Amino acid sequence: QVRLQESGPGLVKPSQTLSLTCTVSGGSISGGNFYWSWIRQPAGKGLEWIGRIHSSGSIHHNPSLESRVTMSVDMSKNQFSLKLSSVTAADTAVYYCARDFVGAAGGTLYNWFDPWGQGTLVTVSS
Amino acid sequence: EIVLTQSPGTLSLSPGEGATLSCRASQRLTNTYLAWYQQKPGQAPRLLIYATSSRATGVPDRFSGNGSGTDFTLTISRLEPEDFAVYYCQHYGRSPFGPGTKVDV
């Protein structure tokens, strides 16, 4: 059974870089149709997809965050990571990592997220 | 870019009642691979339904998904106390999630 666990600082100062790592256990981060995604949720609000990465290095971004997002995979540690630069209070949220199954049908892509990590709250404040 | 809207925003029901949640896409979904998630307070979302109508592992059969084109539904046949939560629909894209429907007592 695959499990995901986020880790990283819970408090980041404005203008600095938020860094999170997701550790995958119970399965390999390498190969197949699985990407690995980051999703965030401000308190009391809905879900916002940040981006996904494949072990091959393929990356898809949410265009609204793309200029500030860096993602990477460390297959030796079975981990993937997120860096979000120049943070402001608007980046305060619970950040989730999730396994992201991506497939194709009829020339278009589909996906679903399963499982999810438990989430980690990141607060941007001085 | 496809935008998902969900209705109603809040559904107030009692245990034992049935619930029908709606998810509407701004454009016809050519592959109709829609997913549904359940989120309880303080917890991560949990996949309930994928590919419009397939239940994820361990999901009770009182949950069912249906739809095509632009209109999709999640039906809960008889609400159990643990089903009161927020439900999100999701499709592939840059803004993949709908805004959610809260099922309230």
Side-chain angles (χ1 to χ4, degrees):
Chain A
Q1 180 182 0
V2 172
R3 295 183 189 271
L4 290 81
Q5 177 68 59
E6 305 88 351
S7 59
L11 181 64
V12 182
K13 289 181 166 45
S15 80
Q16 293 192 343
T17 296
L18 176 162
S19 296
L20 295 174
T21 295
C22 184
T23 301
V24 180
S25 59
S28 174
I29 202 170
S30 300
N33 285 54
F34 293 122
Y35 280 71
W36 304 90
S37 269
W38 291 97
I39 298 151
R40 69 181 183 179
Q41 184 174 38
K45 296 189 177 180
L47 300 164
E48 180 181 30
W49 175 71
I50 298 170
R52 63 170 59 90
I53 186 168
H54 191 270
S55 57
S56 65
S58 174
I59 292 175
H60 304 160
H61 289 105
N62 182 332
S64 68
L65 296 168
E66 182 172 4
S67 63
R68 298 195 290 132
V69 167
T70 302
M71 291 182 287
S72 60
V73 169
D74 186 338
M75 285 183 279
S76 68
K77 294 182 179 179
N78 228 34
Q79 294 177 335
F80 61 106
S81 298
L82 169 72
K83 292 186 187 298
L84 180 65
S85 64
S86 305
V87 297
T88 69
D91 295 309
T92 295
V94 175
Y95 284 75
Y96 296 102
C97 58
R99 188 176 65 175
D100 186 354
F101 180 86
V102 179
T108 57
L109 296 174
Y110 60 85
N111 80 300
W112 53 81
F113 303 100
D114 179 58
W116 297 56
Q118 65 183 29
T120 187
L121 174 62
V122 178
T123 302
V124 179
S125 175
S126 55
Chain B
E1 177 66 17
I2 292 172
V3 176
L4 299 178
T5 55
Q6 292 185 243
S7 60
T10 301
L11 197 52
S12 296
L13 295 167
S14 300
E17 292 190 292
T20 300
L21 286 64
S22 172
C23 177
R24 176 164 289 179
S26 59
Q27 304 170 36
R28 180 177 172 273
L29 300 186
T30 52
N31 64 33
T32 67
Y33 275 70
L34 193 88
W36 291 90
Y37 301 84
Q38 175 193 66
Q39 187 178 31
K40 298 178 183 179
Q43 296 185 19
R46 167 199 178 198
L47 178 69
L48 291 178
I49 301 287
Y50 64 95
T52 301
S53 59
S54 297
R55 275 188 298 276
T57 302
V59 175
D61 60 8
R62 63 180 180 273
F63 291 92
S64 62
N66 209 340
S68 64
T70 59
D71 293 307
F72 298 82
T73 57
L74 174 70
T75 301
I76 311 171
S77 58
R78 292 173 310 280
L79 284 162
E80 297 287 342
E82 62 268 27
D83 298 337
F84 292 90
V86 179
Y87 293 84
Y88 295 94
C89 59
Q90 176 258 317
H91 182 65
Y92 183 89
R94 300 166 179 174
S95 297
F97 297 101
T101 289
K102 183 177 183 179
V103 178
D104 218 331
V105 177

